Amino acid sequence: MDFVLIDRPVPDVAVVTLNRPERMNSMAFEVMIPLRDTLRALSDDTTVRAVVLTGAGDGFCSGADQSGDVPDVPHIDGLTTPTIALRMMELLDDLITTLRGMHQPVIAAVNGAAIGGGLCLALACDIRVAATGAYFRAAGINNGLSASELGLSYLLPRAIGSSRAFEIMLTGRDVDAAEADRIGLVSTVVDEADVVAEAVRYGQTIAGWSRPGIELTKRTLWAGLDASSLTSHMHAEGIGQLFIRLLTGNFQEAVKARKQKRPAAFTD
């Protein structure tokens, strides 16, 4: 059985589906390693301009695999338990940084539960669209553990502000789709049947713009979250803007297209 599916419903947009619905697409390594490798391959695929990430069945991703099965982790022969645990965490960390570092914007189509590591997956995406029945939970605290995992204590405060993030992570409560929309955790909420299609529509809009313009915008948005000062970040933004302005005809094409009342055709 393929635990990660790829679909190309429209040109330029790839839909990646976690395909273990009987386990709510939990973060078993036999699912997460193919997911990481799939994302890496799509990042290098120049025919893909945007990526949608979703889950099969009723859940987006339910976080840690609680089936009790022995994790199928590669390259651990001869290692002791502490080192195996480190390698397991590194593999999952690598998945989060792979999402963030993809050339293309990634839109999470959150079709159901996004719990623990599943919430981290959604937050590592650039845009989140939620179904009406979706909900989000930082589940570590519910399991007697820390709620901080896979970058959650970094990503969530930046998405919704520190006070809300502290409260959600410390109480372990669920955030439903309506609240997620209100606090800015997601961009929009749609019916369950439309969540992937809505994410694909975001992807199609993105694909209509300049490739270097989109890639630089994604990079500078993430860099802005890490910037040590406004001044240094503005310099980085300015260099990127000059790079495209001076080395492509995109700006001239945009001006001409507006005058001629037609869509711009960016050749980069």
Side-chain angles (χ1 to χ4, degrees), residues 14-36:
V15 177
V16 178
T17 303
L18 299 174
N19 187 39
R20 211 171 194 183
E22 72 280 5
R23 293 190 185 176
M24 296 282 284
N25 305 308
S26 63
M27 300 183 84
F29 285 91
E30 58 265 35
V31 181
M32 294 299 107
I33 292 173
L35 174 61
R36 181 201 61 185

Side-chain angles (χ1 to χ4, degrees), residues 141-198:
I141 207 80
N142 305 79
N143 296 322
L145 306 172
S146 167
S148 302
E149 59 176 333
L150 302 180
L152 184 57
S153 59
Y154 176 93
L155 294 166
L156 190 60
R158 284 163 171 78
I160 63 173
S162 61
S163 182
R164 283 196 176 102
F166 274 55
E167 180 264 318
I168 288 167
M169 292 178 70
L170 288 169
T171 63
R173 70 176 180 84
D174 290 351
V175 175
D176 64 19
E179 182 183 1
D181 189 25
R182 178 173 57 82
I183 65 178
L185 181 56
V186 301
S187 296
T188 190
V189 177
V190 297
D191 290 341
E192 277 85 352
D194 298 328
V195 65
V196 172
E198 182 68 12

